[in-house]
Amino acid sequence: MAAQDSCASAGAHARWGRGVRAFALAAAVVLTVGPVTGCGGSGERDDRSDPKPPSASASRPADMAPGESDSPALPSSLTDQRLDWGRCRAQAGSRAPGSDWQCATLKAPLDYAEPSGPTIDLALIRTEARGDRSDRIGSLLFNFGGPGISGVDLLPAFAPQYAKLRERYDLVGFDPRGVSASRGLRCRSDKGMQAAESIDLTPDTTAEETAYLQDSVAFGKGCGRQAGALLAHVSTIEAARDMDLTRQVLGDKKLHYMGVSYGTELGGVYAHLFPDKVGRLALDGVVDPTAGRVGQAESQARGFQRALDDYFRSRAKDPREGTREIAALLKRLDAKPLPTPGGRELNESLATTGIAVTLYSKTSWAALTRGLRDAERGDGSTLLALADSYNNRDGSGRYGTASHSQRAISCLDDKARPTVRQTKERLAKFRELSPVFGPYMGWDTAGWCHGWPVPGQWDEPDVSARGAAPVLVVGNTRDPATPYEGARRMAEELGAGVGIELTWKGEGHGAYGVGSACVDSTVDAYLLEGRIPRDGKVCP
């Protein structure tokens, strides 16, 4: 489980990839209205966090058989709870939902091994089905990726593209545990976040390596101080169990679900744990569940380079020449960052992030053209604004917390802790995959979870789901963040007759709702009518 999507850089480190298309939308906003707000996370600290330190024993491997659970049955006080749906209050960093939206709080066990013990409040949002109640299928639960993306914030923003689904479903979003309104983690102050931007994410000297690793340790300690016992209970396994509790409380016999990016991994884990409860699950922008951290990072380096090559071809430019020019720009920025009017500097790491965010969608390629042109002229403000949009930093210098949650969840999930020596041995391969993104992705494997205070749970997630209803797996052949190969592997891992693969020959991150009538109609028919497409169907 390597570089995941984020709205952000968690301190010095920024994971790209398993995220929602909000990044591309934010990039477009940068060029039209100036300062941007982040794409998720309230940024509010919950002072009710358990002050106890995290317990390493709370982490459990996901090695149970399909449908098997190592947790006792939940008490009726949880499974029979009634949700008090009320008008939503505005979440910090997002627009207030309109009158069609209702919010509620679900109580779930903090530790599923102690279901009658302390609980955690999970934030939900919904808009009810518009069609005839006799045609209502049930609830359709959404997860937009990250991990760490707020479904409470984002579902209202994306709801227009789900208008057809709303005819027969209540659309339901949620903030997973440790995210935004569900006791969202804040591991570092805004001042500390900005200070960490000066740390070189592709260190060239012993001093830079030391600073890079020390920052990772410091960030983890900050998470431990703020989160307490919660830090050991924000795993994908627990989020999947939360989804099943949500299903029960909503009154649905089966879970109907749409997962995007990291949300596909969450959906696969759910299918593994609860195969008999799988209803209609659509997975879009699919994470490769077999890759492991290093394999995922290599895959993303390759995927972002593919997208960059496509960008240059669209401009009738040799991709090799264009790549050399960007690599040279980054090298100059590593030696001497560019000043910007606001007093901050555009360094190599921020420029790389600013470039990456524009590759999530072809609609953002114009932003890349402007950013590169301005940087070559000595103006780093456009690429810095693009990086800020990805890093969830608003115009006042306040950072959202999506990256904090992302790092806590992914480091609790993932056992891998590559050393600096192992990383250096792989850097040549990363550079070969992408001279622009390879070094960044390679070093990220060493720094992301270095010194994390809670051990990881798995080498890779188990998504085998024998006996589950068919799950629709949607892959985009030119997806930079979750490269296409992951969709086929997810379908294979789900199992014969379970994983049904749909391919779109497109560009950008994800496939549903981004321009393919073929993809949209196929997914809609599956979710609304239960029509299962031919396995291997290709949309041009």
Side-chain angles (χ1 to χ4, degrees):
M1 266 190 357
Q4 306 191 18
D5 34 55
S6 66
C7 265
S9 121
H13 307 284
R15 285 229 160 164
W16 308 325
R18 309 179 183 183
V20 69
R21 290 179 291 273
F23 306 140
L25 297 176
V29 171
V30 169
L31 299 183
T32 57
V33 299
V36 298
T37 57
C39 60
S42 69
E44 295 300 320
R45 174 169 176 159
D46 186 339
D47 292 324
R48 296 172 297 166
S49 298
D50 191 324
K52 295 184 293 182
S55 168
S57 63
S59 297
R60 296 180 178 83
D63 57 359
M64 67 284 290
E68 182 183 350
S69 172
D70 63 351
S71 300
L74 298 180
S76 60
S77 60
L78 295 178
T79 58
D80 295 342
Q81 64 184 292
R82 296 176 64 87
L83 298 177
D84 183 17
W85 292 103
R87 186 173 180 178
C88 297
R89 292 176 295 177
Q91 296 294 317
S94 72
R95 294 173 296 176
S99 59
D100 287 345
W101 294 92
Q102 300 173 311
C103 288
T105 299
L106 175 82
K107 289 194 177 295
L110 177 66
D111 184 350
Y112 275 88
E114 300 178 8
S116 297
T119 60
I120 181 171
D121 289 346
L122 304 178
L124 304 178
I125 191 168
R126 77 171 180 185
T127 186
E128 294 182 284
R130 286 178 170 171
D132 191 310
R133 298 299 290 179
S134 64
D135 290 333
R136 179 181 176 274
I137 297 170
S139 300
L140 182 62
L141 196 63
F142 289 81
N143 181 278
F144 294 103
I149 303 299
S150 168
V152 172
D153 284 351
L154 282 189
L155 182 56
F158 286 154
Q161 76 182 45
Y162 305 128
K164 185 173 290 187
L165 300 176
R166 189 182 172 189
E167 292 300 314
R168 300 191 67 191
Y169 286 105
D170 296 345
L171 307 184
V172 181
F174 69 105
D175 288 351
R177 52 178 59 214
V179 175
S180 195
S182 296
R183 282 181 62 177
L185 303 180
R186 174 172 284 278
C187 306
R188 175 170 282 171
S189 69
D190 292 331
K191 183 178 179 180
M193 292 289 284
Q194 181 165 320
E197 290 178 349
S198 65
I199 293 175
D200 194 333
L201 303 189
T202 56
D204 307 300
T205 67
T206 300
E208 288 179 346
E209 289 176 13
T210 299
Y212 177 74
L213 297 177
Q214 285 179 343
D215 181 78
S216 294
V217 173
F219 189 87
K221 287 181 178 179
C223 286
R225 285 193 299 269
Q226 191 272 333
L230 177 62
L231 196 64
H233 294 290
V234 293
S235 70
T236 296
I237 294 172
E238 287 158 315
R241 290 177 175 157
D242 290 341
M243 291 203 306
D244 197 62
L245 176 59
T246 302
R247 173 195 62 78
Q248 295 178 65
V249 173
L250 291 174
D252 291 326
K253 292 182 179 180
K254 303 281 186 178
L255 180 76
H256 308 300
Y257 172 78
M258 178 173 282
V260 182
S261 265
Y262 159 80
T264 65
E265 182 176 293
L266 177 58
V269 170
Y270 179 89
H272 170 72
L273 292 174
F274 305 101
D276 58 326
K277 301 302 182 185
V278 170
R280 300 171 188 174
L281 269 64
L283 309 181
D284 181 24
V286 186
V287 172
D288 183 350
T290 70
R293 172 177 295 181
V294 173
Q296 195 70 255
E298 290 175 349
S299 180
Q300 288 187 330
R302 185 184 298 109
F304 277 101
Q305 185 63 48
R306 283 177 186 165
L308 187 62
D309 290 349
D310 289 346
Y311 160 76
F312 284 122
R313 291 189 186 100
S314 75
R315 297 182 58 78
K317 188 179 183 73
D318 182 355
R320 291 172 296 182
E321 179 184 352
T323 295
R324 284 194 295 268
E325 290 175 359
I326 290 182
L329 170 64
L330 295 176
K331 186 174 182 179
R332 294 196 301 271
L333 291 173
D334 189 28
K336 187 178 181 181
L338 286 177
T340 66
R344 295 164 65 213
E345 293 183 327
L346 176 74
N347 58 26
E348 177 192 20
S349 300
L350 289 168
T352 308
T353 298
I355 293 167
V357 71
T358 66
L359 299 176
Y360 278 83
S361 170
K362 288 179 69 173
T363 60
S364 300
W365 287 1
L368 178 55
T369 299
R370 176 175 168 181
L372 293 175
R373 180 197 65 202
D374 291 350
E376 291 292 352
R377 295 174 178 177
D379 179 4
S381 56
T382 299
L383 285 180
L384 180 61
L386 288 164
D388 284 348
S389 73
Y390 196 94
N391 288 342
N392 211 198
R393 183 187 192 274
D394 67 20
S396 67
R398 183 167 177 77
Y399 293 77
T401 59
S403 65
H404 305 231
S405 304
Q406 178 203 20
R407 197 161 176 177
I409 294 167
S410 60
C411 291
L412 177 57
D413 281 349
D414 196 349
K415 285 182 180 179
R417 303 290 191 263
T419 65
V420 169
R421 179 178 177 181
Q422 290 170 330
T423 296
K424 288 181 175 180
E425 290 173 350
R426 298 184 183 113
L427 282 178
K429 181 176 181 181
F430 274 101
R431 290 191 184 96
E432 181 179 352
L433 290 170
S434 173
V436 172
F437 304 111
Y440 193 102
M441 300 302 299
W443 274 106
D444 184 73
T445 63
W448 184 247
C449 296
H450 177 78
W452 197 253
V454 179
Q457 296 187 352
W458 60 38
D459 294 310
E460 57 188 44
D462 194 341
V463 299
S464 59
R466 185 178 58 190
V471 174
L472 186 59
V473 180
V474 187
N476 179 350
T477 58
R478 308 302 285 183
D479 193 318
T482 51
Y484 171 69
E485 294 82 359
R488 178 160 299 173
R489 290 175 186 140
M490 174 68 81
E492 291 172 350
E493 290 297 306
L494 285 167
V498 178
I500 305 299
E501 187 179 4
L502 171 66
T503 296
W504 178 43
K505 293 183 177 181
E507 187 80 52
H509 186 34
Y512 182 81
V514 294
S516 170
C518 173
V519 169
D520 292 356
S521 62
T522 303
V523 174
D524 288 344
Y526 166 77
L527 290 173
L528 293 170
E529 308 297 337
R531 279 190 274 161
I532 302 165
R534 173 182 56 82
D535 187 19
K537 177 178 178 179
V538 177
C539 288

